[in-house]
């Protein structure tokens, strides 16, 4: 197993320690229980936004802790849900006395543990469940649709609104609205390799790809022969638009997300394909994001995410953000 | 060949078009001849900073075009030097009437073509040659040491000084000073795959790594058996420190750079190892950067770069920057 590790059981602790050290100006890492929080104390009266999930998707979620986005993130072991004690400790650490918004990707373990934490943690809370993956209904670890790269869009937009003073019920409604406006689909060229497993999660022939893959290597819609970038983009974008059914002239955010093992120049090439397809359908790509934001360890592949914007969402997307992995504005 | 491409001959054009579209607020892409420039016109009296080199190292260099860093970047085809006509056109497009500083990685083709451009372009110019790779003297495409991940540090620091009004001779001296204070070394777990070649550049057994690898997959010091992260970090950091010979108590910038195919959580783990080693040697890690900045397509591996800082370099490193791949400050 070709990985930069010392001991497979310590990967997460050693990686989080490095993350905390590299970004000590922005975040603070608690190792027991494990969570990452903003260094600055939460402003009294601000709703705390907390997300989390299995590790291996970096920079999601810890890379999005900071001004204008999350207050805390709870990392589980690789592809394993974090536990309620992590979430409860994180919520206590970043409470501003105005409640907690949990942002949860739709995987059975995450959903169950965040629900338990919500029941046990102090204070009021609400949850936004992210279900943006149009590839399949139900999957290896999920009832209903999976939550994938659209999650960071939910985190960015609700994070901006929380910073601006929105209350818990407004943030819950806003988060649900972003989820309702967001669809994703991914494709894999290679498997990822979970350190504790020591071997690839699945295998693909040299001329095959997994269309509709999940971010843990879960099966997608079907295994297909490799195709040109334009055809791949058409398939993913087509599935998204069929489901989202945006009106002509709709402004959208287009996010091409790398799974970790695909060169950036190919991601920009895919962005160009997806952009052209959206334009052909009469949509306007008003905002864009290209890069490795929701990864699947070293998996080669990418996903396309489309969010139907309105003036308010665009303004919140543009609002200042200052996190390890995303910075914009002043 | 598992890549997101339509036609191997059009990769660069389609990727650059996507890059320009995704970052239209910051940059403008010229496709013939190919260069990327800042959207905002150069301030009269500002020295123009131009870099470039073969593609496949994204976000280097085009991702660093913007306020506080480069004025333009000239991409060649994958791992192929850009041509003088690109550089001359870029220099004409971004001239502020105060001369051009060329930032050149030490590869024979790049050096030759930037020299030709410097002779043929209008106005005064100077060059900074980046030679930060301590792994080997002379290599496949290089006489002397290779220029690798330290290049973006040179670009960031001289970029900040240019923004603040430094003149050409001061920028040349500053760039040379940063080069003199910067050392890097890399290691590869897998090869990259150049699209035009269609097969991996080199092969490594499942338990082997290439210690001292170049960013085009050039051979390093030796092929070795895999080792724990701490031992790998010790070898790279040790070679760097032996060469740089910093005084005890020296403040340094530590940059752990991914080559494209290594998960971010492993890069942070390597940052933690390298940090601890520097601290053991009595050095102070005052600034840090972790991520995929100077890549080698999908190569798995990473490099460590150390720059010995002083108060002025630290201030320039901290200065605002607003580019597609690096943002900081206001």
């Amino acid at each position: 197993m070709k990985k930069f590790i010392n001991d497979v059981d310590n990967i997460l602790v050693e990686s989080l320690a490095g993350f905390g050290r590299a970004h000590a100006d922005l975040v603070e890492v608690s190792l027991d229980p494990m969570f990452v929080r903003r260094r600055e104390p939460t402003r009294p009266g601000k709703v705390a936004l907390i997300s989390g999930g299995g590790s291996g998707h970096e920079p999601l979620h810890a890379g999005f802790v900071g001004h204008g986005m999350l207050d805390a993130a709870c990392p589980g072991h690789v592809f394993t849900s974090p536990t309620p004690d992590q979430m409860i400790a994180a919520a206590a650490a970043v409470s501003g006395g105005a409640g907690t918004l949990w942002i949860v990707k739709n995987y059975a373990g995450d959903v169950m543990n965040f629900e338990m934490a919500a029941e046990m943690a102090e204070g009021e809370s609400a949850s936004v469940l992210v279900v943006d993956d149009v590839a399949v209904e139900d999957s290896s670890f999920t009832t209903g649709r999976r939550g994938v790269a659209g999650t960071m869009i939910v985190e960015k937009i609700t994070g901006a609104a929380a910073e601006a003073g929105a209350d818990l019920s407004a943030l819950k409604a806003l988060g649900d609205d972003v989820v309702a406006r967001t669809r994703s689909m991914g494709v894999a060229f290679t498997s990822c390799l979970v350190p504790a497993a020591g071997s690839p999660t699945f295998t693909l022939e040299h001329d095959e790809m997994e269309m509709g893959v999940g971010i843990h290597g879960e099966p997608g819609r079907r295994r297909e022969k490799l195709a040109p970038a334009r055809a791949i983009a058409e398939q993913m974008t087509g599935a998204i638009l069929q489901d989202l059914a945006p009106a002509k002239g709709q402004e959208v955010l287009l996010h091409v997300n790398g799974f970790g093992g695909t060169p950036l120049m190919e991601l920009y090439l895919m962005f160009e394909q997806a952009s052209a397809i959206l334009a052909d359908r009469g949509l306007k790509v008003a905002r864009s994001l290209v890069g490795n934001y929701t990864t699947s360890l070293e998996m080669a592949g990418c996903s396309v995410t489309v969010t139907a914007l309105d003036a308010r969402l665009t303004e919140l997307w543009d609002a200042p953000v200052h996190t390890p992995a995303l910075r914009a504005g002043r």
Side-chain angles (χ1 to χ4, degrees), chain A residues 23-40:
Chain A
H23 302 292
D25 52 331
L26 296 176
V27 302
E28 212 172 282
V29 171
S30 160
L31 290 177
D32 186 21
M34 276 193 284
F35 64 88
V36 175
R37 59 162 295 179
R38 294 193 201 180
R39 179 159 291 281
E40 65 188 54

Side-chain angles (χ1 to χ4, degrees), chain A residues 142-301:
Chain A
T142 314
T143 304
R145 287 181 169 180
R146 301 176 295 220
V148 290
T151 311
M152 73 85 67
I153 297 170
V154 176
E155 293 175 356
K156 169 68 183 80
I157 288 177
T158 55
E163 218 65 67
D167 69 15
L168 185 60
S169 66
L171 289 171
K172 157 74 175 156
L174 175 65
D176 287 345
D177 185 37
V178 178
V179 172
R181 292 163 168 271
T182 299
R183 299 290 188 283
S184 301
M185 188 152 145
V187 64
F189 285 169
T190 67
S191 176
C192 48
L193 196 163
V194 177
S199 59
T201 306
F202 61 98
T203 51
L204 285 167
E205 297 300 321
H206 74 280
D207 61 347
E208 282 182 340
M209 59 184 180
E210 181 71 32
M211 177 55 72
V213 72
I215 56 172
H216 311 90
E218 306 98 303
R221 292 188 168 187
R222 56 192 163 265
R223 198 152 286 194
E224 299 182 359
K225 292 289 171 197
L226 272 183
R230 172 55 91 110
I232 297 173
E234 265 168 5
Q235 196 172 155
M236 296 198 286
T237 312
I240 287 167
L241 294 184
Q242 188 177 13
D243 203 85
L244 186 63
K248 273 226 160 107
Q250 172 70 52
E251 294 203 343
V252 299
L253 161 64
L254 172 58
H255 173 28
V256 172
N257 170 61
F259 284 144
T262 285
L264 197 51
M265 70 181 299
E266 294 177 41
L267 299 182
Y268 281 115
L269 189 151
M270 282 297 280
F271 178 83
E272 183 65 6
Q273 314 307 304
S275 272
I277 294 163
L278 294 177
D280 285 350
R281 302 286 195 99
L283 302 172
K284 182 166 184 290
V285 178
R287 294 293 183 276
S288 58
L289 184 71
V290 183
N292 295 289
Y293 292 97
T294 302
T295 62
S296 185
L297 295 168
E298 63 279 270
M299 189 157 87

